[in-house]
Amino acid sequence: MALLPLTEALQQMLQQLPLPKVTETLALNACANRILAEDIFSPINVPSFDNSAMDGYAVRVSDLAQGNQLTQIGKSFAGNPFNGELKQGECVRIMTGAMIPQGCDAVVMQEETETSGDNQIIFCKTPKLGQNIRRVGEDVKQGELVLAKGSLLNVTTLPLLASLGIAQVPVFPRLKVAILSTGDELTSVGEPLTEGKIYDTNRFAVRLMLEKLNCEIIDYGILPDDPQIFEAKFIQAQQEADILITSGGVSVGEADFTKDVLEKLGKIAFWKIAMKPGKPFAFGKLGQENTKQTIFFGLPGNPVSALVTFYQLAQPALAHLSGMNEPSIAKLTQNLTACSAVPLKKAVGRQDFQRGFYYANERGELEVKPIGTQGSHIFSAFYESNCFIVLEAERGAVQAGEKVTIQPFNSLLK
Ligand code: AMP
Ligand code: MG
């Protein structure tokens, strides 16, 4: 069977995924890491009044065309405006954020003035019309689209909603994700390791990444390689969870056995993806068309492969399922170009996701070097890397100094 390019696997997967149907309305401080379920339009102008960008004096420019001295007749503070009206030859002391008094058309910064007793202010420069005034609606206009449906609510978007006085917003529910690891050889941390056994790494990695994606997690633990136990757990997941993520049991040899169980319960594709690490990957739906369906992701067993396929395939799929919009999904994995500091090993045929470290060299240019041995069972070097070096399927070995694509890790791997 020919290997499936990663972009094609992604496209096929995204086409089959439903969008969330239910929404709930929550107070802003309960919305961190949720996805917005409706477009938000601004109910007000921000700022809602003309105000000063500087500490200084609010003036009428035409007064200073004739002379360089004005009489200070009052003060305007942020939150405590000056309520009078300016007559010819007058100015008002003003602070940053304070309302511009009626009749004023510029603010002169304090540093460009001198005081000379009796409330007389001398202006060293002639101001320009409108200088240092922040205009109504300059930041956000009333009625303007502020955040599109599908935006991630985080530290850059939630304060924006707060600045508009929006106290609650409709959001999509958190995804309920069941996780399990498969393999007779697996042992949970905290238990002694007997001969031929290994510790379960993948459930740890998957759980941590799901937590960052704000999913609700149902942990089914480790499953032995037993079809009856598999079947029971998969049926349970179909009832309890929106998504089931497993690891192991999808590679050649084992796939037949998982396949038999899954084919009884739903429609699952076992892919061989042209990527390294991470070739085997299963995707589909548990449950029949007209019943509740649970999305299934079967990650490969090797820990690096499990992590990389989760990041490259499950991450965008989960983002889509959670209601995130296309531009926000695209932002999750942005590419840059860097020069490889050393030669890179690469065989033609599969797209490589090598673990690398990128940095700016002494000339300020981006450079990258691989970290550790690139085997899919070598997990220990991951923490020293800060990006994937993404090498095209058709590309062969890379010489030192050649340009390569890098994908800096997002918060999922930090
Ligand atoms: P499999 O895909 O089940 O054939 O597993 C491939 C390799 O990954 C084998 O060496 C497994 O022992 C190993 N492996 C599978 N699951 C895990 C896990 N949860 N943690 C660490 N290694 C695993
Ligand atoms: Mg296995």
Side-chain angles (χ1 to χ4, degrees):
M1 193 171 75
L3 298 181
L4 187 66
L6 175 63
T7 47
E8 228 167 273
L10 260 172
Q11 212 177 358
Q12 281 193 33
M13 207 167 62
L14 293 176
Q15 271 168 6
Q16 294 179 54
L17 295 174
L19 286 169
K21 292 184 190 76
V22 191
T23 67
E24 54 188 326
T25 297
L26 294 181
L28 281 200
N29 58 13
C31 286
N33 299 317
R34 290 296 194 105
I35 306 296
L36 190 62
E38 275 175 25
D39 288 343
I40 300 288
F41 299 90
S42 179
I44 57 166
N45 281 311
V46 181
S48 57
F49 52 90
D50 286 353
N51 68 85
S52 178
M54 292 283 175
D55 290 341
Y57 294 90
V59 302
R60 203 190 327 251
V61 171
S62 58
D63 289 357
L64 287 169
Q66 288 136 37
N68 69 344
Q69 193 169 325
L70 299 173
T71 307
Q72 181 191 323
I73 57 156
K75 291 177 179 168
S76 182
F77 290 102
N80 283 306
F82 171 78
N83 290 318
E85 202 172 325
L86 228 65
K87 289 199 280 297
Q88 204 177 354
E90 294 176 341
C91 66
V92 169
R93 176 96 175 104
I94 195 163
M95 301 301 161
T96 306
M99 195 182 241
I100 303 293
Q102 284 250 311
C104 295
D105 51 22
V107 169
V108 178
M109 64 196 279
Q110 195 168 298
E111 292 81 347
E112 294 173 354
T113 65
E114 284 163 24
T115 49
S116 81
D118 268 358
N119 292 328
Q120 292 307 298
I121 315 297
I122 298 160
F123 292 83
C124 314
K125 274 195 202 162
T126 315
K128 286 200 189 74
L129 210 60
Q131 80 175 30
N132 298 326
I133 295 181
R134 301 166 175 165
R135 293 295 180 192
V136 168
E138 196 179 282
D139 187 357
V140 181
K141 289 200 174 40
Q142 189 173 14
E144 175 183 319
L145 175 68
V146 195
L147 280 182
K149 175 180 172 178
S151 298
L152 175 64
L153 296 175
N154 62 10
V155 76
T156 57
T157 48
L158 283 167
L160 173 60
L161 296 175
S163 77
L164 305 177
I166 295 170
Q168 52 181 37
V169 282
V171 293
F172 292 119
R174 294 170 70 199
L175 294 173
K176 224 178 262 174
V177 186
I179 57 173
L180 60 88
S181 293
T182 72
D184 285 339
E185 75 279 30
L186 299 182
T187 308
S188 287
V189 278
E191 285 168 22
L193 207 58
T194 54
E195 200 178 63
K197 306 270 184 168
I198 60 167
Y199 283 120
D200 176 9
T201 318
N202 297 346
R203 211 156 31 99
F204 243 91
V206 170
R207 166 182 278 281
L208 287 167
M209 291 190 284
L210 289 171
E211 279 171 0
K212 298 231 175 165
L213 292 170
N214 200 26
C215 296
E216 255 178 62
I217 299 160
I218 312 170
D219 191 345
Y220 291 157
I222 295 168
L223 261 58
D225 292 314
D226 174 335
Q228 271 168 357
I229 297 175
F230 264 45
E231 188 166 340
K233 271 294 168 209
F234 286 13
I235 290 169
Q236 190 182 342
Q238 197 214 320
Q239 286 154 359
E240 295 183 333
D242 301 315
I243 295 143
L244 170 65
I245 302 181
T246 67
S247 74
V250 290
S251 49
V252 185
E254 279 185 306
D256 288 346
F257 141 67
T258 324
K259 217 174 182 168
D260 288 345
V261 180
L262 283 166
E263 270 164 5
K264 259 169 72 181
L265 303 175
K267 218 172 151 210
I268 314 289
F270 284 79
W271 286 332
K272 286 192 171 43
I273 301 180
M275 67 188 285
K276 193 181 166 210
K279 193 163 73 175
F281 185 84
F283 165 73
K285 292 173 185 172
L286 299 171
Q288 304 312 317
E289 289 271 334
N290 46 2
T291 62
K292 177 188 173 296
Q293 288 189 307
T294 293
I295 307 296
F296 175 81
F297 300 108
L299 311 179
N302 273 314
V304 178
S305 308
L307 200 145
V308 172
T309 49
F310 183 100
Y311 192 92
Q312 300 295 340
L313 286 149
Q315 176 178 210
L318 289 165
H320 178 94
L321 286 163
S322 70
M324 195 182 272
N325 59 31
E326 285 292 328
S328 306
I329 295 175
K331 260 196 234 166
L332 296 172
T333 48
Q334 295 260 313
N335 291 339
L336 299 173
T337 301
C339 280
S340 186
V342 295
L344 302 174
K345 281 188 196 155
K346 165 77 170 67
V348 174
R350 289 202 265 163
Q351 186 178 15
D352 260 23
F353 288 89
Q354 302 195 5
R355 278 69 66 211
F357 183 82
Y358 77 100
Y359 52 93
N361 65 17
E362 63 280 4
R363 291 185 302 283
E365 299 151 353
L366 285 189
E367 228 169 69
V368 67
K369 56 183 185 191
I371 295 291
T373 324
Q374 297 291 333
S376 59
H377 60 297
I378 309 286
F379 198 85
S380 55
F382 231 118
Y383 78 98
E384 287 179 276
S385 45
N386 63 1
C387 69
F388 288 116
I389 307 173
V390 187
L391 301 175
E392 302 75 5
E394 61 279 10
R395 195 163 180 173
V398 174
Q399 310 290 317
E402 265 185 53
K403 286 209 168 109
V404 292
T405 299
I406 58 166
Q407 195 181 79
F409 291 163
N410 67 23
S411 62
L412 224 57
L413 291 182
K414 283 181 183 160

PDB file of all heavy atoms in Angstrom, residues 81-112:
ATOM      1  N   PRO A  81     -13.054  64.580  34.993  1.00  0.00           N
ATOM      2  CA  PRO A  81     -12.857  65.549  33.908  1.00  0.00           C
ATOM      3  C   PRO A  81     -13.011  67.000  34.358  1.00  0.00           C
ATOM      4  O   PRO A  81     -13.565  67.272  35.418  1.00  0.00           O
ATOM      5  CB  PRO A  81     -13.952  65.173  32.902  1.00  0.00           C
ATOM      6  CG  PRO A  81     -14.953  64.380  33.645  1.00  0.00           C
ATOM      7  CD  PRO A  81     -14.286  63.781  34.841  1.00  0.00           C
ATOM      8  N   PHE A  82     -12.503  67.917  33.539  1.00  0.00           N
ATOM      9  CA  PHE A  82     -12.695  69.349  33.733  1.00  0.00           C
ATOM     10  C   PHE A  82     -14.030  69.686  33.059  1.00  0.00           C
ATOM     11  O   PHE A  82     -14.235  69.372  31.889  1.00  0.00           O
ATOM     12  CB  PHE A  82     -11.537  70.098  33.060  1.00  0.00           C
ATOM     13  CG  PHE A  82     -11.712  71.588  33.007  1.00  0.00           C
ATOM     14  CD1 PHE A  82     -11.483  72.371  34.137  1.00  0.00           C
ATOM     15  CD2 PHE A  82     -12.119  72.218  31.827  1.00  0.00           C
ATOM     16  CE1 PHE A  82     -11.645  73.751  34.078  1.00  0.00           C
ATOM     17  CE2 PHE A  82     -12.282  73.587  31.777  1.00  0.00           C
ATOM     18  CZ  PHE A  82     -12.049  74.361  32.901  1.00  0.00           C
ATOM     19  N   ASN A  83     -14.922  70.320  33.802  1.00  0.00           N
ATOM     20  CA  ASN A  83     -16.264  70.498  33.259  1.00  0.00           C
ATOM     21  C   ASN A  83     -16.520  71.851  32.618  1.00  0.00           C
ATOM     22  O   ASN A  83     -17.540  72.028  31.966  1.00  0.00           O
ATOM     23  CB  ASN A  83     -17.316  70.226  34.348  1.00  0.00           C
ATOM     24  CG  ASN A  83     -17.345  68.732  34.676  1.00  0.00           C
ATOM     25  OD1 ASN A  83     -17.274  67.898  33.764  1.00  0.00           O
ATOM     26  ND2 ASN A  83     -17.372  68.397  35.957  1.00  0.00           N
ATOM     27  N   GLY A  84     -15.586  72.778  32.786  1.00  0.00           N
ATOM     28  CA  GLY A  84     -15.820  74.119  32.235  1.00  0.00           C
ATOM     29  C   GLY A  84     -15.554  74.176  30.741  1.00  0.00           C
ATOM     30  O   GLY A  84     -15.341  73.149  30.095  1.00  0.00           O
ATOM     31  N   GLU A  85     -15.579  75.382  30.198  1.00  0.00           N
ATOM     32  CA  GLU A  85     -15.278  75.547  28.766  1.00  0.00           C
ATOM     33  C   GLU A  85     -14.133  76.535  28.609  1.00  0.00           C
ATOM     34  O   GLU A  85     -14.032  77.509  29.361  1.00  0.00           O
ATOM     35  CB  GLU A  85     -16.516  76.030  28.018  1.00  0.00           C
ATOM     36  CG  GLU A  85     -16.417  75.698  26.541  1.00  0.00           C
ATOM     37  CD  GLU A  85     -17.718  75.999  25.795  1.00  0.00           C
ATOM     38  OE1 GLU A  85     -18.801  75.818  26.388  1.00  0.00           O
ATOM     39  OE2 GLU A  85     -17.620  76.427  24.642  1.00  0.00           O
ATOM     40  N   LEU A  86     -13.288  76.281  27.645  1.00  0.00           N
ATOM     41  CA  LEU A  86     -12.098  77.098  27.455  1.00  0.00           C
ATOM     42  C   LEU A  86     -12.417  78.391  26.704  1.00  0.00           C
ATOM     43  O   LEU A  86     -13.106  78.351  25.681  1.00  0.00           O
ATOM     44  CB  LEU A  86     -11.123  76.276  26.607  1.00  0.00           C
ATOM     45  CG  LEU A  86      -9.700  76.196  27.081  1.00  0.00           C
ATOM     46  CD1 LEU A  86      -9.658  75.459  28.398  1.00  0.00           C
ATOM     47  CD2 LEU A  86      -8.866  75.455  26.039  1.00  0.00           C
ATOM     48  N   LYS A  87     -11.899  79.515  27.228  1.00  0.00           N
ATOM     49  CA  LYS A  87     -12.032  80.778  26.472  1.00  0.00           C
ATOM     50  C   LYS A  87     -10.673  81.053  25.818  1.00  0.00           C
ATOM     51  O   LYS A  87      -9.673  80.393  26.127  1.00  0.00           O
ATOM     52  CB  LYS A  87     -12.435  81.896  27.424  1.00  0.00           C
ATOM     53  CG  LYS A  87     -13.882  81.734  27.917  1.00  0.00           C
ATOM     54  CD  LYS A  87     -14.470  83.010  28.481  1.00  0.00           C
ATOM     55  CE  LYS A  87     -14.040  83.290  29.909  1.00  0.00           C
ATOM     56  NZ  LYS A  87     -14.469  82.270  30.893  1.00  0.00           N
ATOM     57  N   GLN A  88     -10.647  82.027  24.959  1.00  0.00           N
ATOM     58  CA  GLN A  88      -9.405  82.358  24.250  1.00  0.00           C
ATOM     59  C   GLN A  88      -8.284  82.647  25.258  1.00  0.00           C
ATOM     60  O   GLN A  88      -8.516  83.287  26.286  1.00  0.00           O
ATOM     61  CB  GLN A  88      -9.621  83.583  23.370  1.00  0.00           C
ATOM     62  CG  GLN A  88      -8.635  83.610  22.237  1.00  0.00           C
ATOM     63  CD  GLN A  88      -8.886  84.787  21.299  1.00  0.00           C
ATOM     64  OE1 GLN A  88      -9.858  85.523  21.434  1.00  0.00           O
ATOM     65  NE2 GLN A  88      -7.994  84.945  20.352  1.00  0.00           N
ATOM     66  N   GLY A  89      -7.102  82.119  25.001  1.00  0.00           N
ATOM     67  CA  GLY A  89      -5.948  82.400  25.858  1.00  0.00           C
ATOM     68  C   GLY A  89      -5.846  81.487  27.071  1.00  0.00           C
ATOM     69  O   GLY A  89      -4.980  81.694  27.928  1.00  0.00           O
ATOM     70  N   GLU A  90      -6.701  80.471  27.130  1.00  0.00           N
ATOM     71  CA  GLU A  90      -6.699  79.595  28.308  1.00  0.00           C
ATOM     72  C   GLU A  90      -6.257  78.170  27.938  1.00  0.00           C
ATOM     73  O   GLU A  90      -6.376  77.745  26.789  1.00  0.00           O
ATOM     74  CB  GLU A  90      -8.092  79.548  28.936  1.00  0.00           C
ATOM     75  CG  GLU A  90      -8.501  80.894  29.507  1.00  0.00           C
ATOM     76  CD  GLU A  90      -9.918  80.890  30.058  1.00  0.00           C
ATOM     77  OE1 GLU A  90     -10.718  80.000  29.693  1.00  0.00           O
ATOM     78  OE2 GLU A  90     -10.227  81.799  30.856  1.00  0.00           O
ATOM     79  N   CYS A  91      -5.791  77.440  28.967  1.00  0.00           N
ATOM     80  CA  CYS A  91      -5.463  76.015  28.786  1.00  0.00           C
ATOM     81  C   CYS A  91      -5.832  75.262  30.055  1.00  0.00           C
ATOM     82  O   CYS A  91      -6.142  75.882  31.082  1.00  0.00           O
ATOM     83  CB  CYS A  91      -3.988  75.834  28.455  1.00  0.00           C
ATOM     84  SG  CYS A  91      -2.881  76.296  29.801  1.00  0.00           S
ATOM     85  N   VAL A  92      -5.810  73.937  29.970  1.00  0.00           N
ATOM     86  CA  VAL A  92      -6.164  73.076  31.113  1.00  0.00           C
ATOM     87  C   VAL A  92      -5.044  72.063  31.321  1.00  0.00           C
ATOM     88  O   VAL A  92      -4.566  71.442  30.362  1.00  0.00           O
ATOM     89  CB  VAL A  92      -7.517  72.350  30.847  1.00  0.00           C
ATOM     90  CG1 VAL A  92      -7.771  71.266  31.880  1.00  0.00           C
ATOM     91  CG2 VAL A  92      -8.673  73.348  30.831  1.00  0.00           C
ATOM     92  N   ARG A  93      -4.628  71.935  32.572  1.00  0.00           N
ATOM     93  CA  ARG A  93      -3.647  70.886  32.918  1.00  0.00           C
ATOM     94  C   ARG A  93      -4.342  69.549  32.707  1.00  0.00           C
ATOM     95  O   ARG A  93      -5.494  69.382  33.147  1.00  0.00           O
ATOM     96  CB  ARG A  93      -3.261  71.071  34.396  1.00  0.00           C
ATOM     97  CG  ARG A  93      -2.338  70.027  34.934  1.00  0.00           C
ATOM     98  CD  ARG A  93      -0.919  70.517  34.864  1.00  0.00           C
ATOM     99  NE  ARG A  93      -0.009  69.569  35.487  1.00  0.00           N
ATOM    100  CZ  ARG A  93       0.766  68.757  34.787  1.00  0.00           C
ATOM    101  NH1 ARG A  93       0.748  68.744  33.466  1.00  0.00           N
ATOM    102  NH2 ARG A  93       1.601  67.948  35.409  1.00  0.00           N
ATOM    103  N   ILE A  94      -3.688  68.592  32.039  1.00  0.00           N
ATOM    104  CA  ILE A  94      -4.379  67.318  31.734  1.00  0.00           C
ATOM    105  C   ILE A  94      -3.432  66.138  31.952  1.00  0.00           C
ATOM    106  O   ILE A  94      -2.217  66.253  31.756  1.00  0.00           O
ATOM    107  CB  ILE A  94      -4.951  67.345  30.291  1.00  0.00           C
ATOM    108  CG1 ILE A  94      -5.972  66.213  30.101  1.00  0.00           C
ATOM    109  CG2 ILE A  94      -3.848  67.262  29.232  1.00  0.00           C
ATOM    110  CD1 ILE A  94      -6.874  66.408  28.898  1.00  0.00           C
ATOM    111  N   MET A  95      -3.997  65.018  32.389  1.00  0.00           N
ATOM    112  CA  MET A  95      -3.222  63.794  32.630  1.00  0.00           C
ATOM    113  C   MET A  95      -3.581  62.732  31.578  1.00  0.00           C
ATOM    114  O   MET A  95      -4.658  62.779  30.988  1.00  0.00           O
ATOM    115  CB  MET A  95      -3.526  63.233  34.024  1.00  0.00           C
ATOM    116  CG  MET A  95      -3.223  64.188  35.154  1.00  0.00           C
ATOM    117  SD  MET A  95      -1.476  64.648  35.134  1.00  0.00           S
ATOM    118  CE  MET A  95      -1.521  66.128  36.101  1.00  0.00           C
ATOM    119  N   THR A  96      -2.702  61.757  31.437  1.00  0.00           N
ATOM    120  CA  THR A  96      -2.933  60.671  30.477  1.00  0.00           C
ATOM    121  C   THR A  96      -4.271  59.984  30.771  1.00  0.00           C
ATOM    122  O   THR A  96      -4.537  59.636  31.916  1.00  0.00           O
ATOM    123  CB  THR A  96      -1.789  59.638  30.571  1.00  0.00           C
ATOM    124  OG1 THR A  96      -0.571  60.332  30.398  1.00  0.00           O
ATOM    125  CG2 THR A  96      -1.912  58.549  29.537  1.00  0.00           C
ATOM    126  N   GLY A  97      -5.082  59.808  29.735  1.00  0.00           N
ATOM    127  CA  GLY A  97      -6.364  59.112  29.879  1.00  0.00           C
ATOM    128  C   GLY A  97      -7.497  60.028  30.296  1.00  0.00           C
ATOM    129  O   GLY A  97      -8.654  59.605  30.315  1.00  0.00           O
ATOM    130  N   ALA A  98      -7.184  61.305  30.624  1.00  0.00           N
ATOM    131  CA  ALA A  98      -8.248  62.227  31.049  1.00  0.00           C
ATOM    132  C   ALA A  98      -8.989  62.753  29.831  1.00  0.00           C
ATOM    133  O   ALA A  98      -8.435  62.849  28.732  1.00  0.00           O
ATOM    134  CB  ALA A  98      -7.643  63.377  31.844  1.00  0.00           C
ATOM    135  N   MET A  99     -10.270  63.113  30.051  1.00  0.00           N
ATOM    136  CA  MET A  99     -11.127  63.585  28.966  1.00  0.00           C
ATOM    137  C   MET A  99     -10.629  64.939  28.451  1.00  0.00           C
ATOM    138  O   MET A  99     -10.237  65.798  29.236  1.00  0.00           O
ATOM    139  CB  MET A  99     -12.538  63.716  29.521  1.00  0.00           C
ATOM    140  CG  MET A  99     -13.613  63.843  28.490  1.00  0.00           C
ATOM    141  SD  MET A  99     -15.180  64.054  29.357  1.00  0.00           S
ATOM    142  CE  MET A  99     -16.032  62.640  28.785  1.00  0.00           C
ATOM    143  N   ILE A 100     -10.642  65.110  27.142  1.00  0.00           N
ATOM    144  CA  ILE A 100     -10.231  66.398  26.546  1.00  0.00           C
ATOM    145  C   ILE A 100     -11.348  67.417  26.814  1.00  0.00           C
ATOM    146  O   ILE A 100     -12.504  67.170  26.458  1.00  0.00           O
ATOM    147  CB  ILE A 100     -10.027  66.243  25.016  1.00  0.00           C
ATOM    148  CG1 ILE A 100      -8.984  65.156  24.698  1.00  0.00           C
ATOM    149  CG2 ILE A 100      -9.663  67.579  24.378  1.00  0.00           C
ATOM    150  CD1 ILE A 100      -7.569  65.458  25.124  1.00  0.00           C
ATOM    151  N   PRO A 101     -11.039  68.554  27.434  1.00  0.00           N
ATOM    152  CA  PRO A 101     -12.088  69.540  27.713  1.00  0.00           C
ATOM    153  C   PRO A 101     -12.681  70.114  26.424  1.00  0.00           C
ATOM    154  O   PRO A 101     -12.010  70.134  25.389  1.00  0.00           O
ATOM    155  CB  PRO A 101     -11.355  70.632  28.503  1.00  0.00           C
ATOM    156  CG  PRO A 101     -10.105  69.989  28.984  1.00  0.00           C
ATOM    157  CD  PRO A 101      -9.736  68.953  27.970  1.00  0.00           C
ATOM    158  N   GLN A 102     -13.924  70.545  26.520  1.00  0.00           N
ATOM    159  CA  GLN A 102     -14.633  71.172  25.386  1.00  0.00           C
ATOM    160  C   GLN A 102     -13.784  72.287  24.790  1.00  0.00           C
ATOM    161  O   GLN A 102     -13.215  73.090  25.541  1.00  0.00           O
ATOM    162  CB  GLN A 102     -15.919  71.825  25.928  1.00  0.00           C
ATOM    163  CG  GLN A 102     -17.015  70.854  26.237  1.00  0.00           C
ATOM    164  CD  GLN A 102     -18.146  71.012  25.247  1.00  0.00           C
ATOM    165  OE1 GLN A 102     -18.601  72.120  25.008  1.00  0.00           O
ATOM    166  NE2 GLN A 102     -18.570  69.905  24.677  1.00  0.00           N
ATOM    167  N   GLY A 103     -13.680  72.324  23.497  1.00  0.00           N
ATOM    168  CA  GLY A 103     -12.996  73.426  22.832  1.00  0.00           C
ATOM    169  C   GLY A 103     -11.505  73.199  22.608  1.00  0.00           C
ATOM    170  O   GLY A 103     -10.879  73.944  21.869  1.00  0.00           O
ATOM    171  N   CYS A 104     -10.927  72.188  23.243  1.00  0.00           N
ATOM    172  CA  CYS A 104      -9.480  71.946  23.055  1.00  0.00           C
ATOM    173  C   CYS A 104      -9.262  71.076  21.826  1.00  0.00           C
ATOM    174  O   CYS A 104     -10.072  70.195  21.528  1.00  0.00           O
ATOM    175  CB  CYS A 104      -8.895  71.228  24.264  1.00  0.00           C
ATOM    176  SG  CYS A 104      -8.971  72.257  25.723  1.00  0.00           S
ATOM    177  N   ASP A 105      -8.167  71.323  21.119  1.00  0.00           N
ATOM    178  CA  ASP A 105      -7.904  70.510  19.925  1.00  0.00           C
ATOM    179  C   ASP A 105      -6.473  69.979  19.853  1.00  0.00           C
ATOM    180  O   ASP A 105      -6.031  69.486  18.821  1.00  0.00           O
ATOM    181  CB  ASP A 105      -8.279  71.271  18.654  1.00  0.00           C
ATOM    182  CG  ASP A 105      -7.659  72.653  18.599  1.00  0.00           C
ATOM    183  OD1 ASP A 105      -6.640  72.862  19.290  1.00  0.00           O
ATOM    184  OD2 ASP A 105      -8.190  73.517  17.882  1.00  0.00           O
ATOM    185  N   ALA A 106      -5.733  70.065  20.959  1.00  0.00           N
ATOM    186  CA  ALA A 106      -4.401  69.439  21.012  1.00  0.00           C
ATOM    187  C   ALA A 106      -3.957  69.333  22.468  1.00  0.00           C
ATOM    188  O   ALA A 106      -4.467  70.042  23.338  1.00  0.00           O
ATOM    189  CB  ALA A 106      -3.386  70.251  20.221  1.00  0.00           C
ATOM    190  N   VAL A 107      -2.997  68.415  22.688  1.00  0.00           N
ATOM    191  CA  VAL A 107      -2.373  68.324  24.016  1.00  0.00           C
ATOM    192  C   VAL A 107      -0.871  68.505  23.816  1.00  0.00           C
ATOM    193  O   VAL A 107      -0.272  67.881  22.928  1.00  0.00           O
ATOM    194  CB  VAL A 107      -2.670  66.971  24.693  1.00  0.00           C
ATOM    195  CG1 VAL A 107      -1.812  66.787  25.940  1.00  0.00           C
ATOM    196  CG2 VAL A 107      -4.147  66.850  25.053  1.00  0.00           C
ATOM    197  N   VAL A 108      -0.296  69.406  24.632  1.00  0.00           N
ATOM    198  CA  VAL A 108       1.149  69.628  24.560  1.00  0.00           C
ATOM    199  C   VAL A 108       1.773  68.911  25.750  1.00  0.00           C
ATOM    200  O   VAL A 108       1.318  69.080  26.888  1.00  0.00           O
ATOM    201  CB  VAL A 108       1.471  71.137  24.620  1.00  0.00           C
ATOM    202  CG1 VAL A 108       2.983  71.369  24.598  1.00  0.00           C
ATOM    203  CG2 VAL A 108       0.805  71.856  23.460  1.00  0.00           C
ATOM    204  N   MET A 109       2.778  68.107  25.470  1.00  0.00           N
ATOM    205  CA  MET A 109       3.368  67.361  26.593  1.00  0.00           C
ATOM    206  C   MET A 109       4.104  68.314  27.539  1.00  0.00           C
ATOM    207  O   MET A 109       4.669  69.329  27.118  1.00  0.00           O
ATOM    208  CB  MET A 109       4.258  66.224  26.104  1.00  0.00           C
ATOM    209  CG  MET A 109       5.484  66.629  25.330  1.00  0.00           C
ATOM    210  SD  MET A 109       6.161  65.211  24.447  1.00  0.00           S
ATOM    211  CE  MET A 109       7.068  64.437  25.760  1.00  0.00           C
ATOM    212  N   GLN A 110       4.034  67.932  28.798  1.00  0.00           N
ATOM    213  CA  GLN A 110       4.620  68.730  29.886  1.00  0.00           C
ATOM    214  C   GLN A 110       6.054  69.168  29.601  1.00  0.00           C
ATOM    215  O   GLN A 110       6.431  70.298  29.854  1.00  0.00           O
ATOM    216  CB  GLN A 110       4.598  67.819  31.104  1.00  0.00           C
ATOM    217  CG  GLN A 110       4.801  68.448  32.420  1.00  0.00           C
ATOM    218  CD  GLN A 110       4.436  67.410  33.477  1.00  0.00           C
ATOM    219  OE1 GLN A 110       3.295  66.970  33.539  1.00  0.00           O
ATOM    220  NE2 GLN A 110       5.407  67.015  34.273  1.00  0.00           N
ATOM    221  N   GLU A 111       6.854  68.250  29.023  1.00  0.00           N
ATOM    222  CA  GLU A 111       8.267  68.518  28.785  1.00  0.00           C
ATOM    223  C   GLU A 111       8.493  69.658  27.784  1.00  0.00           C
ATOM    224  O   GLU A 111       9.597  70.181  27.685  1.00  0.00           O
ATOM    225  CB  GLU A 111       8.969  67.248  28.276  1.00  0.00           C
ATOM    226  CG  GLU A 111       9.077  66.121  29.283  1.00  0.00           C
ATOM    227  CD  GLU A 111       7.800  65.271  29.420  1.00  0.00           C
ATOM    228  OE1 GLU A 111       6.728  65.685  28.910  1.00  0.00           O
ATOM    229  OE2 GLU A 111       7.864  64.216  30.053  1.00  0.00           O
ATOM    230  N   GLU A 112       7.458  70.008  27.030  1.00  0.00           N
ATOM    231  CA  GLU A 112       7.609  71.087  26.038  1.00  0.00           C
ATOM    232  C   GLU A 112       7.025  72.409  26.553  1.00  0.00           C
ATOM    233  O   GLU A 112       6.657  73.291  25.765  1.00  0.00           O
ATOM    234  CB  GLU A 112       6.930  70.682  24.721  1.00  0.00           C
ATOM    235  CG  GLU A 112       7.632  69.506  24.054  1.00  0.00           C
ATOM    236  CD  GLU A 112       6.908  68.955  22.830  1.00  0.00           C
ATOM    237  OE1 GLU A 112       5.781  69.399  22.523  1.00  0.00           O
ATOM    238  OE2 GLU A 112       7.486  68.058  22.193  1.00  0.00           O
TER     239      GLU A 112
END
